[in-house]
Amino acid sequence: MHGRLVWWILAFGSCWPIALMPGFGVCRQLLEYIEAKGAADAQALAKALKCAPEVVVGAIKSIQTFENVINVAEVKQQLWQFTKDGQDALQKGSPEVRLMSVIPAEGIAASDLEASPVYKGLGDAAKPSIGQAMKNKWIAIDKSSGAVAYVRKVTEVPDETQKVLAQLQKDPSGKSTDDKVLKDLKKRKLVEQKSVTTYNVTKGSAFTTTLRKGEADLTADMLADGSWKSKDFKPFNLAADGVPVSRGTLHPLLKVREEYRQIFLEMGFEEMPTSRFVESSFWNFDALFQPQQHPARDAHDTFFMTAPETSASFPADYEERVKNTHENGGGYESIGYQYNWERSEAEKNLLRTHTTAVSARMLYKLAQQKPFKPVKYFSIDRVFRNETLDATHLAEFHQIEGVIADYNLTLGDLMGTLHNFFTRLGIHDLRFKPAYNPYTEPSMEVFSYHAGLDKVVEIGNSGMFRPEMLRPMGLPEDVVVIAWGLSVERPTMIKYGYSNIRDLIGPKVDLTAAQSAPLVRL
Ligand SMILES: *[C@@H]1O[C@H](CO)[C@@H](O)[C@H](O)[C@H]1NC(C)=O
Ligand SMILES: *[C@@H]1O[C@H](CO)[C@@H](O)[C@H](O)[C@H]1NC(C)=O
Ligand SMILES: *[C@@H]1O[C@H](CO)[C@@H](O)[C@H](O)[C@H]1NC(C)=O
C-alpha cells in the first residue's frame, strides 16, 4: 500500500531563499517517514521533521529530481487560518474568557473595565468580547448605581472557543468542526478561509529511502579504471533540448541586403566599391551638378568633417569643366546655374549623403576608358544625413542604388528595368510619379500597392542623370545613364514587422531577436 502525505504551503509562499534549500538530510527523513507511517497528516509530518513548510516543499522538489521515487500532485485547497486575534485566542485563551478575569462577582463599573490593562490588551476584540460574555450568560448589566456596571453570574468559565480553535488547528480543512461554529468564528474575525496549494505526495514506482545521484556521463576514466561497472547511470532523456550551437548570425538588414545583392547579380550588375564613407563635397555634390547654395549642402542636412576638414585634389581638367557647367552650362546646351563656383565649397569633407557619390566616381572612371563600354553597376551601403531622429528615421541608413550607362537609353528603358527589378522582389503593378531631383531629369518616384499594409507605398526613386553631370566627365554625347535607389531599412522593417527603426539598428537592438530572425524572401 502506498503511503500518502499531504503537504501544505501558502499559495504565495512557494519561493524560498537558497539558504533554506533542504539538503539530503531532510529528504532522507521525509522518505523514511513515508516509508514508516505510510499515511500521515500534514501537520503531524511537519512536527515530525521539525521544519518549516517551505523547507518540506523544497525537499519534495529535490526528491522529484530523482525519477519515480515519489509521485507529487499539486492540489488547491480551502484551509482555515488564524487571524492575529485568533492566534492570541488559541494561545492565551478566548477574548471573553480573558475579559472574565477582570470581572469580579460584585461587579465592575464600565469605565473601570475599559481602563483595565486586560481590556485594552484585547484590542479590537475587546468590545465584542462583552457581547460574547453576555451571550454566554456569564455577565449581566447592572444600572442600579446610575452608571453602567457589569456583574459576574457564574464562577466557572470553560473556554469552548479556545477548544474549537485547537480543533481547527489540528484539522485546518474544517471538516471536523461544526459549520455554524466556523461561521461564528469567522464573523468574530478569529479565523479566515484561504486558498492554499497542497502537495500530495505518494510513493513512486522506484521508491527508496536512500537517494543516490546517478551518473550523467560515461567518462573515459570510468572505462579505464572499470568503475563504470558499479555505477548507476541516469537514463538518457531523449526528449531534452540540445545545447544551442554558438554561432555567428546575420542581422536582418544584412539578410535583406544579401537578397538585393543576389537580384542585382542575377540581372548582370557589377558591385561598386563603397568603402569610402568620408567624401569630398566635390564628388558628393558638385560632380552631380548640385549647386553650391543647395540646402542639402547645409549643416542642417549634412555632417561635415572637422578632421580632415578638406580634400585638396580633384582631376584638374574635370574640375574645370564642372566649374564651367555650374557657372554657365559649359557649352553643353545648358546655361548652368549662373553663379561663381567656389573651389573652397567643393573641398569640404563630409560623410557621404548618398551612394550616388560612388556612382559619380565610377562614371568618371568609366568615361576615361576609351572606347566607351556600356555598364550596369549597383551598390548597397551606408549613407549619413543630419536627420531629426524618430521611429522611422536615423542619421545613418543604407541605400541601394542601380545604375545603367548605355547609348541612347530612354525613359522606357528605365521603366522596363524597374519592372524587371521589382518583379524579382515580388512587387508588380508599379506606378510612377514625376518628381524633382537635382541631378536627374526626368525623375520619377516609384510606388506600388502593398497588400500587407493595404495601401500604395513609395518604394523608390529614379531618374536619368542630367547631361550637365555626364558630359563634363567625358562620356560620349549619346550615352545616357539611368539610375534608381531605395533604402534597405524600409523594406526590412515591413518584412520583419518592426514599427520602430531603433529596434532594428542601434544600441537598443535585442541581439537574441537578431539571432532568431528568420531568413528573408523578398
Ligand atoms: C492525495 O492522493 C490520494 C491518492 O491519489 C487521494 O486519495 C487523496 O484524495 C489526495 N489528497 C488530496 C488532498 O487531493
Ligand atoms: C544637425 O542639424 C542641427 C539643426 O537641425 C544642428 O543644430 C546640428 O549642429 C547639426 N549637427 C551637425 C553634426 O552638423
Ligand atoms: C543614338 O542615337 C543617335 C540619334 O538617333 C544615333 O545617331 C546613334 O547612332 C545612336 N547610337 C547608338 C550606339 O545606337
Side-chain angles (χ1 to χ4, degrees):
M1 194 181 134
H2 283 176
R4 163 170 24 96
L5 302 171
V6 180
W7 286 104
W8 57 273
I9 54 155
L10 295 180
F12 43 82
S14 51
C15 284
W16 55 89
I18 287 294
L20 289 179
M21 280 292 285
F24 268 23
V26 178
C27 294
R28 205 186 56 243
Q29 284 173 10
L30 197 152
L31 289 168
E32 279 166 3
Y33 201 87
I34 297 174
E35 170 95 295
K37 303 282 165 141
D41 93 358
Q43 253 166 326
L45 213 87
K47 269 185 205 147
L49 296 192
K50 293 193 176 67
C51 60
E54 54 266 31
V55 175
V56 171
V57 174
I60 290 171
K61 301 242 149 146
S62 296
I63 297 168
Q64 271 185 294
T65 63
F66 297 86
E67 268 183 65
N68 299 327
V69 172
I70 53 170
N71 296 327
V72 180
E74 207 178 298
V75 188
K76 291 241 186 292
Q77 257 193 341
Q78 294 290 322
L79 292 187
W80 289 97
Q81 297 194 334
F82 295 96
T83 63
K84 172 85 183 47
D85 285 343
Q87 259 157 23
D88 281 353
L90 186 67
Q91 279 151 24
K92 304 177 199 161
S94 65
E96 61 272 22
V97 169
R98 279 187 280 160
L99 176 84
M100 291 308 287
S101 69
V102 279
I103 301 183
E106 66 276 17
I108 180 171
S111 53
D112 289 346
L113 175 68
E114 279 156 25
S116 71
V118 169
Y119 186 89
K120 282 184 179 157
L122 287 174
D124 286 345
K127 214 163 176 173
S129 72
I130 296 178
Q132 192 63 35
M134 306 260 283
K135 203 168 134 197
N136 292 354
K137 299 197 164 58
W138 289 349
I139 58 174
I141 292 179
D142 175 13
K143 286 186 180 163
S144 57
S145 65
V148 176
Y150 298 105
V151 291
R152 192 178 180 111
K153 311 279 281 182
V154 293
T155 48
E156 295 292 322
V157 282
D159 202 339
E160 288 301 328
T161 303
Q162 194 183 32
K163 238 193 245 165
V164 291
L165 287 175
Q167 170 67 34
L168 201 54
Q169 190 188 34
K170 249 194 210 154
D171 175 11
S173 75
K175 287 202 180 79
S176 47
T177 309
D178 189 68
D179 274 352
K180 247 176 75 188
V181 173
L182 284 172
K183 236 168 132 183
D184 188 51
L185 292 178
K186 192 180 163 192
K187 207 170 120 202
R188 294 178 61 193
K189 298 203 171 73
L190 297 176
V191 295
E192 58 200 356
Q193 209 171 19
K194 279 238 173 97
S195 181
V196 298
T197 302
T198 69
Y199 288 92
N200 197 351
V201 182
T202 52
K203 280 186 191 173
S205 56
F207 183 81
T208 172
T209 54
T210 47
L211 295 173
R212 225 168 1 134
K213 246 192 160 59
E215 295 291 340
D217 293 315
L218 178 62
T219 64
D221 286 346
M222 289 179 197
L223 289 173
D225 64 15
S227 63
W228 63 272
K229 289 179 199 153
S230 57
K231 300 245 191 244
D232 281 341
F233 287 91
K234 283 185 175 172
F236 279 119
N237 179 1
L238 297 175
D241 286 342
V243 178
V245 178
S246 158
R247 59 178 162 67
T249 178
L250 286 183
H251 186 275
L253 277 176
L254 293 179
K255 290 181 181 170
V256 171
R257 181 197 141 113
E258 189 53 28
E259 284 290 304
Y260 278 104
R261 206 170 164 267
Q262 285 306 323
I263 287 167
F264 276 115
L265 293 175
E266 277 170 22
M267 289 172 69
F269 281 65
E270 205 181 308
E271 189 160 12
M272 295 186 270
T274 51
S275 55
R276 187 190 292 264
F277 283 10
V278 174
E279 190 52 276
S280 62
S281 293
F282 180 79
W283 287 107
N284 194 81
F285 293 126
D286 295 287
L288 301 178
F289 195 51
Q290 204 150 340
Q292 295 188 325
Q293 304 79 25
H294 195 279
R297 303 183 63 155
D298 196 286
H300 293 300
D301 289 308
T302 299
F303 294 122
F304 286 94
M305 299 292 294
T306 48
E309 203 175 342
T310 57
S311 293
S313 73
F314 316 116
D317 52 338
Y318 175 48
E319 181 191 330
E320 188 62 24
R321 290 195 298 271
V322 167
K323 172 183 157 77
N324 290 336
T325 310
H326 276 245
E327 291 186 343
N328 54 44
Y332 305 122
E333 296 162 52
S334 166
I335 60 163
Y337 290 117
Q338 304 287 316
Y339 72 100
N340 285 326
W341 188 85
E342 302 277 352
R343 186 173 215 269
S344 58
E345 272 303 314
E347 284 175 355
K348 287 183 183 168
N349 281 335
L350 43 74
L351 290 176
R352 71 170 174 227
T353 62
H354 45 204
T355 49
T356 318
V358 178
S359 306
R361 280 181 178 272
M362 291 299 286
L363 289 171
Y364 172 76
K365 204 169 138 200
L366 177 71
Q368 309 319 303
Q369 294 161 2
K370 311 283 180 194
F372 169 80
K373 272 211 296 282
V375 294
K376 296 199 271 186
Y377 289 147
F378 79 96
S379 65
I380 309 175
D381 210 341
R382 206 170 273 213
V383 300
F384 308 85
R385 292 189 195 167
N386 187 2
E387 296 263 8
T388 307
L389 309 184
D390 63 29
T392 52
H393 292 90
L394 287 181
E396 51 186 295
F397 57 94
H398 294 79
Q399 188 186 333
I400 302 169
E401 184 158 305
V403 174
I404 303 178
D406 203 347
Y407 290 107
N408 293 345
L409 291 174
T410 64
L411 194 65
D413 290 311
L414 175 56
M415 290 165 84
T417 303
L418 289 170
H419 273 293
N420 185 350
F421 176 76
F422 283 106
T423 300
R424 289 163 192 269
L425 296 172
I427 300 172
H428 310 275
D429 185 24
L430 297 187
R431 321 237 178 119
F432 300 101
K433 185 177 126 186
Y436 171 76
N437 295 318
Y439 43 90
T440 57
E441 182 59 38
S443 310
M444 300 183 300
E445 284 170 355
V446 189
F447 291 82
S448 173
Y449 173 74
H450 189 286
L453 301 176
D454 191 24
K455 62 178 181 191
V456 173
V457 292
E458 188 187 340
I459 53 178
N461 200 342
S462 69
M464 305 172 77
F465 285 135
R466 297 178 69 117
E468 290 99 326
M469 168 182 167
L470 302 178
R471 299 282 297 281
M473 289 174 170
L475 284 168
E477 204 172 325
D478 50 359
V479 165
V480 178
V481 181
I482 58 177
W484 72 100
L486 56 151
S487 89
V488 181
E489 279 76 2
R490 199 175 151 75
T492 307
M493 286 174 73
I494 294 174
K495 207 75 202 171
Y496 281 97
Y498 284 100
S499 58
N500 192 331
I501 197 167
R502 282 167 279 205
D503 295 333
L504 180 65
I505 183 166
K508 289 184 183 163
V509 167
D510 175 3
L511 286 181
T512 56
Q515 212 154 40
S516 59
L519 288 176
V520 67
R521 274 288 178 79
L522 293 169

